[in-house]
Amino acid sequence: TLCNGTAFDISEEGCCGGEVFKLTSQSCCGDTAVYSFSTQGCCNKKTVFSLSDSAGCVDATPPTGKSPAKASPFKCQAKWPIPAAMYGWTAYCHAGQPKVWAMNYDCTQAYYDNKSASIAGANATAVEKCNQQGDKPCYLFDKNGWACGEYSKVKFCGSQSYDGSTQGCCGGKVFNTGTQDCCGMRVFNKRGQDCCAGKVFPTSKYACCAHRARRLSKGVLYRTGSQGCCLDKGIQLYRMGTQQCCHRTGVCNIQQGKWSCCG
């Protein structure tokens, strides 16, 4: 098989605008320009754009100097992804194929599907679910991530995107950093609980004996009503009433008739 006079292997290569390209890492945009999956995308099957360009395919330069594609009917195209859709869109871009993102022209309803066996099935599901979200009709906005870019501000916890300014990731689960924290691989509530050496404990009965910087990794739990914490000679626990924590020497036993055992 020839491509502009050049022989190529149709099982591994393709022909686009007279240029041979690798099927495993490249594709053809509008039958005129070759683009790379890892760094570029194809907008509306007409123009090549860089995935690192925050403007997406809106201001992309046509691959052969032809006039730009017609303006998108989606009102949010120039500012896509809009804040309200940022996390859903990023999850969509990381999802497997086949996949379709459907949306109404006002960008107030959206839904994506990546569980169907084909593009046609994903398109039908995405449009149907999107239509159920409001009274405006939905249309195909993207398929198989053609318009996906790179959004470094979005973090992922497993397969779920999250806002790093208000949320955290613990054991593959997203949690609210305002009211929760992570202990080992377990999420706990800051109110009434704390973490000591990878173990969650109730603060009403226990405390963690450790230097502050090492509390999460080398702390020792103790009962606050009957025990105390001594950090003057490593990490030591002592029995309140019969033992004492002394500066530099650590825990000592109080002798009968004495009020202190510290020298």
Side-chain angles (χ1 to χ4, degrees), residues 13-250:
E13 299 171 311
C15 180
C16 181
E19 181 181 353
V20 177
F21 66 92
K22 295 288 186 181
L23 295 175
T24 56
S25 60
Q26 298 172 307
S27 190
C28 183
C29 185
D31 295 324
T32 56
V34 175
Y35 69 97
S36 173
F37 294 146
S38 61
T39 60
Q40 297 172 308
C42 178
C43 178
N44 298 321
K45 299 182 181 180
K46 295 180 179 180
T47 58
V48 174
F49 68 98
S50 174
L51 296 181
S52 61
D53 185 355
S54 61
C57 67
V58 181
D59 298 320
T61 302
T64 58
K66 295 181 180 179
S67 59
K70 294 181 180 179
S72 170
F74 294 95
K75 294 181 179 180
C76 60
Q77 178 76 62
K79 296 182 179 179
W80 188 258
I82 57 177
M86 175 68 77
Y87 300 102
W89 177 254
T90 308
Y92 165 77
C93 289
H94 282 74
Q97 298 179 1
K99 59 185 176 183
V100 164
W101 180 285
M103 189 160 58
N104 68 326
Y105 288 153
D106 290 334
C107 307
T108 57
Q109 301 164 211
Y111 191 92
Y112 79 83
D113 178 77
N114 69 315
K115 297 180 180 179
S116 299
S118 65
I119 281 291
N123 183 61
T125 300
V127 171
E128 179 185 0
K129 296 292 185 180
C130 180
N131 284 334
Q132 294 174 2
Q133 295 181 3
D135 57 359
K136 301 291 181 64
C138 294
Y139 304 92
L140 170 68
F141 178 75
D142 179 84
K143 67 177 180 180
N144 280 345
W146 284 355
C148 285
E150 298 175 352
Y151 307 105
S152 58
K153 293 182 179 180
V154 178
K155 297 181 178 181
F156 266 77
C157 184
S159 61
Q160 184 179 358
S161 58
Y162 69 98
D163 183 354
S165 64
T166 60
Q167 297 174 309
C169 178
C170 182
K173 182 179 179 180
V174 176
F175 66 92
N176 187 328
T177 54
T179 59
Q180 300 172 307
D181 207 339
C182 182
C183 183
M185 301 290 284
R186 180 181 172 187
V187 176
F188 69 92
N189 295 317
K190 291 181 180 180
R191 184 175 182 179
Q193 294 181 311
D194 207 341
C195 179
C196 187
K199 296 181 179 180
V200 177
F201 67 91
T203 54
S204 59
K205 296 181 179 180
Y206 296 89
C208 186
C209 184
H211 296 284
R212 181 174 295 274
R214 299 180 179 179
R215 180 175 64 86
L216 297 179
S217 60
K218 296 185 178 181
V220 178
L221 282 177
Y222 67 95
R223 286 185 171 274
T224 53
S226 59
Q227 296 176 303
C229 172
C230 184
L231 299 174
D232 286 271
K233 194 175 182 180
I235 298 176
Q236 295 177 297
L237 303 183
Y238 64 93
R239 298 185 302 275
M240 298 179 70
T242 60
Q243 292 181 312
Q244 198 170 7
C245 177
C246 303
H247 181 56
R248 293 183 181 178
T249 59

